[in-house]
């Protein structure tokens, strides 16, 4: 009987996962000062999943983070570890340098896991090349950062199931974005 109750409690915890969808930015390519670049955070219990990372993504997350007086420790920069990119347009992806470097500087010790359309691997590779000197300095300078947290594992996706863990299953589907191929929506 005790085992039954334990299973029941565990099941209840799993079913009652606390989930939040937070709009971190709803901007367009226009630099409206009231709107950060497109980005969303899906929080499930202690984990957070980003969808898109437009300009200002980490600062927008910090507004609600426990580190800066908000209620979500999941949104502390070092906890930003997984992101899904809908399409390669800059208003959705322009915060990538921020998402790679700021959480690392703030203590993220594992590579950023990125899922998105064709072109994401090249973008990741060239971004790291662009910041090579800064990264070298941060690893080898007077206040060394860890040697893993700046890395990017970029996964280029197609339609279908693209990610699964204990909290979420993520399915990608192609959407219509005018003349742009490889634009996706996600079902979480
Ligand atoms: Zn677009």
């Amino acid at each position: 009987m005790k085992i039954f109750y334990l299973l029941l409690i565990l099941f209840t915890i799993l079913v009652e996962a606390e989930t939040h969808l937070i709009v971190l930015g709803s901007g367009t390519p226009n630099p409206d000062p009231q709107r950060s670049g497109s980005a969303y955070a899906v929080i499930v219990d202690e984990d957070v999943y980003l969808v898109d990372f437009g300009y200002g993504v980490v600062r927008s997350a910090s507004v609600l983070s426990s580190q800066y007086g908000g209620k979500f420790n999941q949104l502390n920069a070092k906890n930003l570890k997984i992101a899904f990119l809908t399409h390669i347009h800059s208003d959705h992806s322009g915060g990538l340098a921020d998402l790679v470097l700021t959480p690392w500087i703030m203590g993220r010790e594992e590579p950023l896991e990125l899922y998105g359309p064709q072109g994401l691997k090249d973008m990741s590779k060239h971004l790291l090349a662009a910041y090579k000197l800064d990264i070298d300095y941060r690893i080898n300078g007077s206040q060394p950062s860890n040697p893993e947290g700046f890395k990017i594992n970029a996964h280029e996706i197609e339609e279908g199931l693209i990610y699964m863990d204990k909290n979420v299953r993520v399915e990608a589907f192609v959407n219509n974005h005018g003349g742009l191929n490889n634009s996706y929506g996600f079902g979480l």
Side-chain angles (χ1 to χ4, degrees), residues 29 86-92 177 180 183:
T86 57
H87 64 297
I88 215 85
H89 278 164
S90 59
D91 51 320
H92 292 252
H177 194 349
L180 180 73
S183 180

Side-chain angles (χ1 to χ4, degrees), residues 21-185:
L21 169 63
I22 297 171
V23 180
L24 299 175
S26 58
T28 69
N30 302 338
D32 182 339
Q34 302 299 323
R35 292 181 181 275
S36 264
S38 185
Y40 301 85
V42 178
I43 294 174
V44 184
D45 288 340
E46 291 306 308
D47 296 310
V48 59
Y49 308 84
L50 296 178
V51 178
D52 286 345
F53 32 88
Y55 303 110
V57 56
V58 177
R59 277 163 175 72
S60 291
S62 291
V63 170
L64 297 172
S65 71
S66 59
Q67 188 168 14
Y68 289 97
K71 63 181 271 193
F72 294 106
N73 69 311
Q74 298 93 330
L75 293 177
N76 291 338
K78 71 175 185 178
N79 294 328
L80 304 177
K81 300 172 183 173
I82 304 176
F84 301 89
L85 180 63
T86 57
H87 64 297
I88 215 85
H89 278 164
S90 59
D91 51 320
H92 292 252
S93 62
L96 183 56
D98 193 17
L99 185 57
V100 170
L101 298 170
T102 310
W104 174 47
I105 292 165
M106 297 306 292
R108 185 181 62 210
E109 294 185 350
E110 57 266 73
L112 177 65
E113 299 291 336
L114 279 188
Y115 295 79
Q118 189 179 6
L120 189 62
K121 286 186 176 177
D122 269 354
M123 179 183 280
S124 301
K125 185 174 81 176
H126 295 310
L127 182 87
L128 293 179
Y131 281 93
K132 183 179 185 311
L133 290 180
D134 182 42
I135 290 167
D136 286 348
Y137 169 77
R138 291 186 188 282
I139 291 175
N140 301 308
S142 58
Q143 296 179 303
S145 296
N146 70 75
E148 293 296 320
F150 72 91
K151 294 178 180 175
I152 305 171
N153 287 330
H155 310 267
E156 294 187 345
I157 62 169
E158 296 180 348
E159 265 194 316
L161 181 65
I162 60 167
Y163 179 84
M164 185 165 62
D165 67 12
K166 70 182 193 298
N167 296 319
V168 296
R169 283 169 52 92
V170 181
E171 292 192 32
F173 55 91
V174 172
N175 63 20
N176 183 350
H177 194 349
L180 180 73
N181 293 326
N182 294 316
S183 180
Y184 292 91

